[in-house]
Amino acid sequence: ARKSRGDNRLLVHLPTGTTLIYYHEVSRVSGTPIWTIHRGGIEMDQPYPLRHLCLVDGRWIGGASDGRLGYLDYGTDTHFGADVGWRFDTALTYNEGLGAIFKSLELVGTPGRAPMGADPRVFMSYTLDGETWGQERAVSYGQRGERHKRVQWRPMIHMRRYAGLRFRGASTGVVSWARLEAEVEGLAV
C-alpha cells in the first residue's frame, strides 16, 4: 500500500506477473471500485518490474527482480528506461438489439507531450462479438508541443447487436485520457 498524489493505493502483485492497483480515494468519490492492471513491455507481456517500494526522502524507490533500482517519476512513461505499452477497452455498447453506427470517436486527453522528434500513435480497433478484434486504425496523438491535437477517428462501424472498442499505444510520450466522446446514430431496425 502507498499514498501517492492525494490517493491511497493498494498494489497487489500476482504470481502471474500482473500487478493490480486499487485507487481508494478515486473509488470513494466515483462510487465505484477503480482498479488498473500494470504489466511490463510494449505488448504488456512481461511482469510489472517495480517491486518493494519504500518512501525515501519523499521519493518512492523500488527494485526489479534482476537487481536494478529505480524510482517513480511521473515525468516519464518507461520502466527502467524501456518503453511500455498501454491499453484500455470500453464496455460493450448495446442499443436494445436495434443496432447503431459509430460515426466518430475522439479521445480527449493530454496530447503533445512526446519526446523531441517522436510522433506517437494510438491504435483503435473494435469487436462485434466480444472475442475477435478488427484491424487497428492508427492516428497521431501529438508531437512535442501539439497540445491542442485532436485524437479522432471516423470509423463508420455498423453494429447489429453490440460493439466494444479497444485503444492501445506505447510510451513514446506521457499521455493520459480523460474521456472518450462518440457520435453514435441509433438504428430503428
Side-chain angles (χ1 to χ4, degrees), residues 5-142:
R5 301 177 89 174
D7 196 10
N8 293 315
R9 299 177 184 180
L10 174 66
L11 285 79
V12 181
H13 299 293
L14 301 176
T16 61
T18 297
T19 297
L20 302 175
I21 301 179
Y22 175 73
Y23 298 83
H24 174 71
E25 188 61 23
V26 175
S27 297
R28 186 186 65 76
V29 170
S30 69
T32 187
I34 304 295
W35 290 85
T36 58
I37 299 170
H38 285 213
R39 303 244 336 139
I42 290 179
E43 296 293 326
M44 297 178 299
D45 57 350
Q46 300 169 18
Y48 181 63
L50 191 58
R51 297 280 198 268
H52 313 295
L53 290 170
C54 297
L55 186 61
V56 178
D57 293 328
R59 180 180 275 182
W60 288 100
I61 297 177
S65 60
D66 62 6
R68 292 176 294 165
L69 294 177
Y71 61 91
L72 288 179
D73 178 359
Y74 295 106
T76 185
D77 197 19
T78 62
H79 290 167
F80 294 94
D83 284 344
V84 179
W86 55 265
R87 184 186 94 195
F88 65 91
D89 299 347
T90 67
L92 292 175
T93 302
Y94 179 70
N95 185 25
E96 299 180 12
L98 299 177
I101 298 173
F102 286 80
K103 291 184 165 188
S104 69
L105 301 169
E106 180 175 358
L107 281 176
V108 179
T110 58
R113 288 157 175 80
M116 195 61 76
D119 187 14
R121 305 263 176 210
V122 59
F123 299 84
M124 182 277 299
S125 60
Y126 66 93
T127 181
L128 298 176
D129 62 11
E131 189 175 338
T132 57
W133 294 87
Q135 183 177 359
E136 292 182 313
R137 301 173 190 184
V139 297
S140 171
Y141 63 86

